[in-house]
Amino acid sequence: MTTVSDVLDFLEGFAPPELAESWDNVGLLCGDRAAEVTSVLCALDATEDVIEEAIERGAQLVVAHHPAIFTSVSRVTTDNATGRVLRLAICHRISIICMHTNADCAVGGVNDALASALFLTDVINMEAGENRMLGRVGDLPHEMQPREFALFVKECLRAGGVRFCDCGKPIRRVAVGGGACGKLMDSALAKGADAFVIGDCSYDLMQRAQSLGLTLVDAGHFPTENPIAAVFADRIVEAFPHLISVVSERHADCIQFV
């Protein structure tokens, strides 16, 4: 019998909780360590839709990237999304494991998956964050102009749209930071990056990047991090071949483009 604890131990071997940033909340956030697991559903977020899909699939465990409990929770009711998710999971005996910044930092984690999705080669650690394990830097298959590169990122990540600033020079070396990683810009520059692919970029970061000669591409939070869901699913089924481990079919980017 495989338990929630068995899957948790395996995932924490892949992405040790010690790699998480100090402000983060990772690990088993809801459920029973001793509960049996035969089916796992993986997603970027443990949303209500994802939990309902887990119920329909008969999955006893949801593995997500973003923490289902992030800020202080004083009550679990149907008055807010967090309460509804937790209540639904508890009522149906579904455990929730969240691997956030520890998965960002892990070898083979979020940022390696993002680098792979962009076909980067000779990928190295960008050495950012508290543990100097955030971000990756690698080389493109061939040199691209900024607009060409932005379109390439959009296609590779299946993003609804991307925003970018044009640094005015060809791009060959690329830094990546899944999610809101604009604060890591200096680390990207220190590694010789011509471009930096992130999500959730503010106007002032775009201005600063352009002034420093760095093409900054905001491909969105969901597209830059979503590749990790397939990594979770694949690694779990490799470690536990008798389990069903799949990526959610319902979880999607909440941001739409017109």
Side-chain angles (χ1 to χ4, degrees):
M1 181 179 81
T2 299
T3 65
V4 169
S5 184
D6 293 330
V7 179
L8 177 64
D9 289 346
F10 167 73
L11 288 172
E12 289 188 338
F14 159 56
E18 295 78 19
L19 291 180
E21 299 287 285
S22 58
W23 46 263
D24 207 359
N25 188 29
V26 301
L28 179 63
L29 303 190
C30 176
D32 179 359
R33 293 175 185 271
E36 182 179 6
V37 176
T38 60
S39 180
V40 183
L41 185 63
C42 300
L44 194 66
D45 297 284
T47 62
E48 291 176 72
D49 283 344
V50 169
I51 301 300
E52 287 172 357
E53 182 181 356
I55 295 166
E56 292 174 15
R57 287 179 177 272
Q60 302 86 10
L61 176 62
V62 168
V63 175
H65 178 51
H66 292 137
I69 303 172
F70 199 40
T71 55
S72 177
V73 175
S74 57
R75 66 198 68 196
V76 177
T77 71
T78 58
D79 294 338
N80 58 60
T82 298
R84 290 191 294 273
V85 165
L86 295 176
R87 184 176 179 277
L88 194 60
I90 292 167
C91 285
H92 290 271
R93 298 182 179 181
I94 294 172
S95 297
I96 303 174
I97 293 173
C98 298
M99 312 293 285
H100 193 209
T101 52
N102 52 328
D104 288 330
C105 292
V107 175
V110 172
N111 289 308
D112 283 307
L114 177 54
S116 178
L118 297 178
F119 300 96
L120 301 186
T121 59
D122 299 320
V123 176
I124 62 171
N125 179 10
M126 198 166 74
E127 300 183 284
E130 294 175 359
N131 293 299
R132 300 187 63 79
M133 286 291 289
L134 278 175
R136 298 292 185 266
V137 184
D139 297 323
L140 286 171
H142 60 86
E143 188 174 274
M144 299 183 191
Q145 294 300 318
R147 181 176 178 80
E148 176 189 8
F149 176 67
L151 290 170
F152 171 76
V153 171
K154 178 183 176 182
E155 180 179 356
C156 288
L157 301 183
R158 299 179 182 177
V162 302
R163 301 184 304 148
F164 74 102
C165 67
D166 188 335
C167 70
K169 64 181 182 183
I171 296 165
R172 187 61 186 265
R173 192 157 178 79
V174 176
V176 298
C181 285
K183 63 183 179 181
L184 308 184
M185 189 187 306
D186 290 335
S187 296
L189 288 165
K191 292 295 184 181
D194 304 309
F196 190 18
V197 179
I198 63 170
D200 296 341
C201 181
S202 60
Y203 180 74
D204 61 304
L205 286 175
M206 285 284 189
Q207 283 186 315
R208 181 168 185 262
Q210 191 170 47
S211 73
L212 294 172
L214 179 72
T215 290
L216 193 59
V217 179
D218 178 357
H221 204 114
F222 185 94
T224 57
E225 292 188 331
N226 194 48
I228 194 60
V231 173
F232 288 151
D234 290 345
R235 283 184 174 263
I236 290 169
V237 83
E238 286 171 8
F240 306 95
H242 56 287
L243 296 185
I244 297 170
S245 180
V246 298
V247 176
S248 170
E249 294 179 354
R250 295 189 189 173
H251 190 215
D253 197 344
C254 63
I255 299 173
Q256 302 287 315
F257 293 86
V258 295

PDB file of all heavy atoms in Angstrom, residues 189-210:
ATOM      1  N   LEU A 189      21.384  39.364 -15.207  1.00  0.00           N
ATOM      2  CA  LEU A 189      22.413  40.169 -15.870  1.00  0.00           C
ATOM      3  C   LEU A 189      23.817  39.694 -15.499  1.00  0.00           C
ATOM      4  O   LEU A 189      24.717  39.666 -16.343  1.00  0.00           O
ATOM      5  CB  LEU A 189      22.242  41.643 -15.490  1.00  0.00           C
ATOM      6  CG  LEU A 189      21.036  42.361 -16.112  1.00  0.00           C
ATOM      7  CD1 LEU A 189      20.765  43.670 -15.389  1.00  0.00           C
ATOM      8  CD2 LEU A 189      21.275  42.611 -17.603  1.00  0.00           C
ATOM      9  N   ALA A 190      23.981  39.302 -14.239  1.00  0.00           N
ATOM     10  CA  ALA A 190      25.292  38.843 -13.783  1.00  0.00           C
ATOM     11  C   ALA A 190      25.731  37.572 -14.500  1.00  0.00           C
ATOM     12  O   ALA A 190      26.937  37.301 -14.607  1.00  0.00           O
ATOM     13  CB  ALA A 190      25.264  38.601 -12.277  1.00  0.00           C
ATOM     14  N   LYS A 191      24.763  36.806 -14.997  1.00  0.00           N
ATOM     15  CA  LYS A 191      25.069  35.575 -15.736  1.00  0.00           C
ATOM     16  C   LYS A 191      25.157  35.813 -17.242  1.00  0.00           C
ATOM     17  O   LYS A 191      25.213  34.866 -18.031  1.00  0.00           O
ATOM     18  CB  LYS A 191      24.012  34.509 -15.445  1.00  0.00           C
ATOM     19  CG  LYS A 191      24.039  33.993 -14.013  1.00  0.00           C
ATOM     20  CD  LYS A 191      25.339  33.260 -13.698  1.00  0.00           C
ATOM     21  CE  LYS A 191      25.307  32.678 -12.292  1.00  0.00           C
ATOM     22  NZ  LYS A 191      26.561  31.974 -11.944  1.00  0.00           N
ATOM     23  N   GLY A 192      25.141  37.079 -17.644  1.00  0.00           N
ATOM     24  CA  GLY A 192      25.320  37.408 -19.050  1.00  0.00           C
ATOM     25  C   GLY A 192      24.093  37.246 -19.914  1.00  0.00           C
ATOM     26  O   GLY A 192      24.208  37.098 -21.138  1.00  0.00           O
ATOM     27  N   ALA A 193      22.913  37.275 -19.311  1.00  0.00           N
ATOM     28  CA  ALA A 193      21.677  37.070 -20.078  1.00  0.00           C
ATOM     29  C   ALA A 193      21.378  38.259 -20.981  1.00  0.00           C
ATOM     30  O   ALA A 193      21.535  39.419 -20.584  1.00  0.00           O
ATOM     31  CB  ALA A 193      20.507  36.833 -19.137  1.00  0.00           C
ATOM     32  N   ASP A 194      20.922  37.967 -22.199  1.00  0.00           N
ATOM     33  CA  ASP A 194      20.440  38.985 -23.128  1.00  0.00           C
ATOM     34  C   ASP A 194      18.944  39.209 -22.938  1.00  0.00           C
ATOM     35  O   ASP A 194      18.421  40.261 -23.296  1.00  0.00           O
ATOM     36  CB  ASP A 194      20.672  38.547 -24.578  1.00  0.00           C
ATOM     37  CG  ASP A 194      22.124  38.216 -24.866  1.00  0.00           C
ATOM     38  OD1 ASP A 194      22.989  39.038 -24.546  1.00  0.00           O
ATOM     39  OD2 ASP A 194      22.379  37.107 -25.387  1.00  0.00           O
ATOM     40  N   ALA A 195      18.265  38.185 -22.396  1.00  0.00           N
ATOM     41  CA  ALA A 195      16.822  38.256 -22.173  1.00  0.00           C
ATOM     42  C   ALA A 195      16.479  37.507 -20.894  1.00  0.00           C
ATOM     43  O   ALA A 195      17.206  36.609 -20.470  1.00  0.00           O
ATOM     44  CB  ALA A 195      16.061  37.664 -23.355  1.00  0.00           C
ATOM     45  N   PHE A 196      15.335  37.884 -20.308  1.00  0.00           N
ATOM     46  CA  PHE A 196      14.882  37.261 -19.064  1.00  0.00           C
ATOM     47  C   PHE A 196      13.387  36.989 -19.211  1.00  0.00           C
ATOM     48  O   PHE A 196      12.607  37.905 -19.465  1.00  0.00           O
ATOM     49  CB  PHE A 196      15.157  38.217 -17.896  1.00  0.00           C
ATOM     50  CG  PHE A 196      14.958  37.629 -16.525  1.00  0.00           C
ATOM     51  CD1 PHE A 196      14.922  36.263 -16.312  1.00  0.00           C
ATOM     52  CD2 PHE A 196      14.833  38.472 -15.423  1.00  0.00           C
ATOM     53  CE1 PHE A 196      14.748  35.726 -15.043  1.00  0.00           C
ATOM     54  CE2 PHE A 196      14.671  37.957 -14.148  1.00  0.00           C
ATOM     55  CZ  PHE A 196      14.632  36.581 -13.951  1.00  0.00           C
ATOM     56  N   VAL A 197      12.993  35.727 -19.065  1.00  0.00           N
ATOM     57  CA  VAL A 197      11.592  35.327 -19.196  1.00  0.00           C
ATOM     58  C   VAL A 197      11.015  35.100 -17.802  1.00  0.00           C
ATOM     59  O   VAL A 197      11.531  34.268 -17.044  1.00  0.00           O
ATOM     60  CB  VAL A 197      11.453  34.043 -20.030  1.00  0.00           C
ATOM     61  CG1 VAL A 197       9.986  33.627 -20.124  1.00  0.00           C
ATOM     62  CG2 VAL A 197      12.036  34.249 -21.422  1.00  0.00           C
ATOM     63  N   ILE A 198       9.949  35.844 -17.470  1.00  0.00           N
ATOM     64  CA  ILE A 198       9.317  35.746 -16.160  1.00  0.00           C
ATOM     65  C   ILE A 198       7.802  35.840 -16.327  1.00  0.00           C
ATOM     66  O   ILE A 198       7.280  35.842 -17.437  1.00  0.00           O
ATOM     67  CB  ILE A 198       9.805  36.867 -15.211  1.00  0.00           C
ATOM     68  CG1 ILE A 198       9.414  38.253 -15.760  1.00  0.00           C
ATOM     69  CG2 ILE A 198      11.298  36.794 -14.999  1.00  0.00           C
ATOM     70  CD1 ILE A 198       9.640  39.391 -14.790  1.00  0.00           C
ATOM     71  N   GLY A 199       7.086  35.946 -15.212  1.00  0.00           N
ATOM     72  CA  GLY A 199       5.661  36.229 -15.214  1.00  0.00           C
ATOM     73  C   GLY A 199       5.378  37.399 -14.289  1.00  0.00           C
ATOM     74  O   GLY A 199       6.201  37.722 -13.429  1.00  0.00           O
ATOM     75  N   ASP A 200       4.230  38.040 -14.459  1.00  0.00           N
ATOM     76  CA  ASP A 200       3.773  39.108 -13.552  1.00  0.00           C
ATOM     77  C   ASP A 200       4.754  40.270 -13.457  1.00  0.00           C
ATOM     78  O   ASP A 200       5.172  40.672 -12.368  1.00  0.00           O
ATOM     79  CB  ASP A 200       3.536  38.556 -12.142  1.00  0.00           C
ATOM     80  CG  ASP A 200       2.415  37.545 -12.109  1.00  0.00           C
ATOM     81  OD1 ASP A 200       1.613  37.529 -13.056  1.00  0.00           O
ATOM     82  OD2 ASP A 200       2.350  36.778 -11.142  1.00  0.00           O
ATOM     83  N   CYS A 201       5.111  40.833 -14.577  1.00  0.00           N
ATOM     84  CA  CYS A 201       6.086  41.925 -14.587  1.00  0.00           C
ATOM     85  C   CYS A 201       5.407  43.286 -14.487  1.00  0.00           C
ATOM     86  O   CYS A 201       4.428  43.563 -15.174  1.00  0.00           O
ATOM     87  CB  CYS A 201       6.894  41.850 -15.881  1.00  0.00           C
ATOM     88  SG  CYS A 201       8.135  43.138 -15.990  1.00  0.00           S
ATOM     89  N   SER A 202       5.940  44.148 -13.645  1.00  0.00           N
ATOM     90  CA  SER A 202       5.407  45.499 -13.486  1.00  0.00           C
ATOM     91  C   SER A 202       6.060  46.457 -14.485  1.00  0.00           C
ATOM     92  O   SER A 202       7.124  46.180 -15.044  1.00  0.00           O
ATOM     93  CB  SER A 202       5.629  46.001 -12.062  1.00  0.00           C
ATOM     94  OG  SER A 202       7.018  46.032 -11.760  1.00  0.00           O
ATOM     95  N   TYR A 203       5.435  47.599 -14.678  1.00  0.00           N
ATOM     96  CA  TYR A 203       5.897  48.606 -15.638  1.00  0.00           C
ATOM     97  C   TYR A 203       7.305  49.090 -15.308  1.00  0.00           C
ATOM     98  O   TYR A 203       8.156  49.238 -16.186  1.00  0.00           O
ATOM     99  CB  TYR A 203       4.911  49.768 -15.643  1.00  0.00           C
ATOM    100  CG  TYR A 203       5.236  50.898 -16.589  1.00  0.00           C
ATOM    101  CD1 TYR A 203       5.054  50.754 -17.958  1.00  0.00           C
ATOM    102  CD2 TYR A 203       5.707  52.126 -16.110  1.00  0.00           C
ATOM    103  CE1 TYR A 203       5.336  51.791 -18.832  1.00  0.00           C
ATOM    104  CE2 TYR A 203       5.989  53.167 -16.975  1.00  0.00           C
ATOM    105  CZ  TYR A 203       5.805  53.001 -18.342  1.00  0.00           C
ATOM    106  OH  TYR A 203       6.083  54.032 -19.192  1.00  0.00           O
ATOM    107  N   ASP A 204       7.561  49.328 -14.019  1.00  0.00           N
ATOM    108  CA  ASP A 204       8.871  49.854 -13.632  1.00  0.00           C
ATOM    109  C   ASP A 204       9.985  48.848 -13.901  1.00  0.00           C
ATOM    110  O   ASP A 204      11.112  49.231 -14.238  1.00  0.00           O
ATOM    111  CB  ASP A 204       8.882  50.279 -12.158  1.00  0.00           C
ATOM    112  CG  ASP A 204       8.589  49.125 -11.218  1.00  0.00           C
ATOM    113  OD1 ASP A 204       7.534  48.485 -11.376  1.00  0.00           O
ATOM    114  OD2 ASP A 204       9.405  48.862 -10.316  1.00  0.00           O
ATOM    115  N   LEU A 205       9.673  47.550 -13.790  1.00  0.00           N
ATOM    116  CA  LEU A 205      10.681  46.530 -14.100  1.00  0.00           C
ATOM    117  C   LEU A 205      10.993  46.508 -15.591  1.00  0.00           C
ATOM    118  O   LEU A 205      12.140  46.319 -15.996  1.00  0.00           O
ATOM    119  CB  LEU A 205      10.200  45.160 -13.641  1.00  0.00           C
ATOM    120  CG  LEU A 205      10.215  44.893 -12.138  1.00  0.00           C
ATOM    121  CD1 LEU A 205       9.592  43.541 -11.830  1.00  0.00           C
ATOM    122  CD2 LEU A 205      11.636  44.957 -11.586  1.00  0.00           C
ATOM    123  N   MET A 206       9.962  46.693 -16.405  1.00  0.00           N
ATOM    124  CA  MET A 206      10.183  46.773 -17.854  1.00  0.00           C
ATOM    125  C   MET A 206      11.088  47.965 -18.188  1.00  0.00           C
ATOM    126  O   MET A 206      12.014  47.851 -18.998  1.00  0.00           O
ATOM    127  CB  MET A 206       8.843  46.905 -18.583  1.00  0.00           C
ATOM    128  CG  MET A 206       8.028  45.633 -18.663  1.00  0.00           C
ATOM    129  SD  MET A 206       8.679  44.473 -19.889  1.00  0.00           S
ATOM    130  CE  MET A 206       7.364  43.240 -19.907  1.00  0.00           C
ATOM    131  N   GLN A 207      10.811  49.098 -17.571  1.00  0.00           N
ATOM    132  CA  GLN A 207      11.628  50.287 -17.799  1.00  0.00           C
ATOM    133  C   GLN A 207      13.079  50.045 -17.408  1.00  0.00           C
ATOM    134  O   GLN A 207      14.013  50.397 -18.142  1.00  0.00           O
ATOM    135  CB  GLN A 207      11.082  51.471 -17.001  1.00  0.00           C
ATOM    136  CG  GLN A 207       9.847  52.124 -17.595  1.00  0.00           C
ATOM    137  CD  GLN A 207       9.472  53.369 -16.827  1.00  0.00           C
ATOM    138  OE1 GLN A 207       9.461  53.388 -15.594  1.00  0.00           O
ATOM    139  NE2 GLN A 207       9.146  54.426 -17.547  1.00  0.00           N
ATOM    140  N   ARG A 208      13.261  49.448 -16.241  1.00  0.00           N
ATOM    141  CA  ARG A 208      14.623  49.204 -15.748  1.00  0.00           C
ATOM    142  C   ARG A 208      15.355  48.227 -16.651  1.00  0.00           C
ATOM    143  O   ARG A 208      16.530  48.442 -16.989  1.00  0.00           O
ATOM    144  CB  ARG A 208      14.587  48.667 -14.320  1.00  0.00           C
ATOM    145  CG  ARG A 208      15.971  48.420 -13.735  1.00  0.00           C
ATOM    146  CD  ARG A 208      15.951  48.172 -12.236  1.00  0.00           C
ATOM    147  NE  ARG A 208      17.308  48.073 -11.751  1.00  0.00           N
ATOM    148  CZ  ARG A 208      17.949  46.918 -11.539  1.00  0.00           C
ATOM    149  NH1 ARG A 208      17.316  45.769 -11.740  1.00  0.00           N
ATOM    150  NH2 ARG A 208      19.194  46.902 -11.105  1.00  0.00           N
ATOM    151  N   ALA A 209      14.675  47.160 -17.066  1.00  0.00           N
ATOM    152  CA  ALA A 209      15.305  46.179 -17.940  1.00  0.00           C
ATOM    153  C   ALA A 209      15.755  46.816 -19.248  1.00  0.00           C
ATOM    154  O   ALA A 209      16.880  46.589 -19.703  1.00  0.00           O
ATOM    155  CB  ALA A 209      14.328  45.034 -18.216  1.00  0.00           C
ATOM    156  N   GLN A 210      14.886  47.628 -19.824  1.00  0.00           N
ATOM    157  CA  GLN A 210      15.230  48.273 -21.086  1.00  0.00           C
ATOM    158  C   GLN A 210      16.430  49.201 -20.924  1.00  0.00           C
ATOM    159  O   GLN A 210      17.309  49.260 -21.782  1.00  0.00           O
ATOM    160  CB  GLN A 210      14.024  49.045 -21.628  1.00  0.00           C
ATOM    161  CG  GLN A 210      14.209  49.519 -23.066  1.00  0.00           C
ATOM    162  CD  GLN A 210      12.926  50.067 -23.642  1.00  0.00           C
ATOM    163  OE1 GLN A 210      12.244  50.866 -23.006  1.00  0.00           O
ATOM    164  NE2 GLN A 210      12.577  49.628 -24.842  1.00  0.00           N
TER     165      GLN A 210
END
